[in-house]
Amino acid sequence: GQQLNQSPQSMFIQEGEDVSMNCTSSSIFNTWLWYKQDPGEGPVLLIALYKAGELTSNGRLTAQFGTTRKDSFLNISASIPSDVGIYFCAGQLQGGGADGLTFGKGTHLIIQP
Amino acid sequence: GAVVSQHPSRVICKSGTSVKIECRSLDFQATTMFWYRQFPKKSLMLMATSNEGSKATYEQGVEKDKFLINHASLTLSTLTVTSAHPEDSSFYICSAQNEKLFFGSGTQLSVL
């Protein structure tokens, strides 16, 4: 099946630093999504990407869909304590809800005081 | 915005019993819902696609007789873990799509 390679696996940063994580795949996805998950909760959508090359921002978050539809990155600027959590990339092969998502293994973001 | 409600949030049961988890789309109709499973510190893995009015589609390696899915209406899908065993202990999450894909808050199942 499809696989998403997400890196880094974990990040230890200081508050105020910028964060960058990425996902790559050998498969082409129609939609690319970035989620954040807090312990014991379901994932919450951060950014959705639909077009190759698309660059989208949501507050301090910026994500881009690679031109080949096989990769994406997520940047977080000026990190704050509430950014702590696990970030997942996810790809959907077909749009319109026809497919479930394939998830990356997650990036665990830890902010040191 | 669209919301997906999942219940219960946490359940503890004895080995051999069955557990039902509900997933509801609160303000939109969902002909398709998805069920995921997540082990501690691991990623979400798609278990099955729940189709309203028809049989669910299971991913490879997921036992359909073990994980019964019923999608009886456009707003409700249920996942029943039958004859649960400790290895079934996990975090189960449903999702449904309107214009965006929304997730329930998850169910932590602990089988003793």
Side-chain angles (χ1 to χ4, degrees):
Chain A
Q2 297 78 30
Q3 286 188 332
L4 293 183
N5 302 308
Q6 185 171 351
S7 64
Q9 186 175 10
S10 59
M11 300 183 71
F12 296 82
I13 64 167
Q14 301 285 339
E15 182 179 350
E17 289 185 19
D18 296 341
V19 173
S20 184
M21 60 192 77
N22 69 86
C23 278
T24 61
S25 174
S26 58
S27 301
I28 295 174
F29 288 97
N30 182 73
T31 305
W32 207 295
L33 307 148
W34 285 94
Y35 288 87
K36 178 175 184 258
Q37 185 179 26
D38 292 324
E41 299 290 332
V44 174
L45 181 64
L46 300 175
I47 293 179
L49 302 163
Y50 302 102
K51 298 179 181 179
E54 180 180 355
L55 180 69
T56 298
S57 294
N58 178 8
R60 294 178 295 107
L61 278 62
T62 302
Q64 184 160 28
F65 199 169
T67 55
T68 62
R69 292 184 169 273
K70 293 183 177 181
D71 63 291
S72 176
F73 70 76
L74 174 70
N75 289 338
I76 305 173
S77 63
S79 60
I80 59 177
S82 61
D83 291 335
V84 168
I86 302 178
Y87 292 80
F88 291 99
C89 63
Q92 192 173 35
L93 284 175
Q94 298 183 47
D99 278 329
L101 298 178
T102 300
F103 281 85
K105 295 189 175 182
T107 295
H108 193 180
L109 179 60
I110 300 167
I111 298 179
Q112 298 171 323
Chain B
V3 175
V4 173
S5 174
Q6 187 172 341
H7 177 81
S9 59
R10 181 177 296 272
V11 57
I12 301 173
C13 69
K14 293 182 179 180
S15 184
T17 61
S18 295
V19 175
K20 180 185 284 188
I21 304 169
E22 293 187 348
C23 181
R24 295 180 183 274
S25 55
L26 295 185
D27 55 0
F28 67 99
Q29 294 182 332
T31 55
T32 304
M33 292 185 178
F34 303 95
W35 287 96
Y36 296 83
R37 181 174 183 176
Q38 186 179 31
F39 290 105
K41 299 183 179 180
K42 298 294 183 181
S43 187
L44 288 80
M45 298 297 294
L46 180 65
M47 296 175 64
T49 302
S50 173
N51 304 299
E52 188 270 337
S54 64
K55 292 182 179 180
T57 305
Y58 291 82
E59 295 300 302
Q60 191 173 11
V62 178
E63 301 175 58
K64 58 183 179 181
D65 294 331
K66 174 75 169 177
F67 300 99
L68 299 179
I69 292 174
N70 184 282
H71 197 151
S73 77
L74 287 171
T75 60
L76 174 65
S77 174
T78 60
L79 168 68
T80 301
V81 183
T82 62
S83 186
H85 291 285
E87 58 266 29
D88 299 324
S89 299
S90 186
F91 193 57
Y92 294 87
I93 308 173
C94 68
S95 72
Q97 183 152 359
N98 191 1
E99 294 181 353
K100 297 180 180 180
L101 192 62
F102 295 92
F103 283 86
S105 55
T107 298
Q108 182 64 54
L109 172 62
S110 299
V111 184
L112 304 178

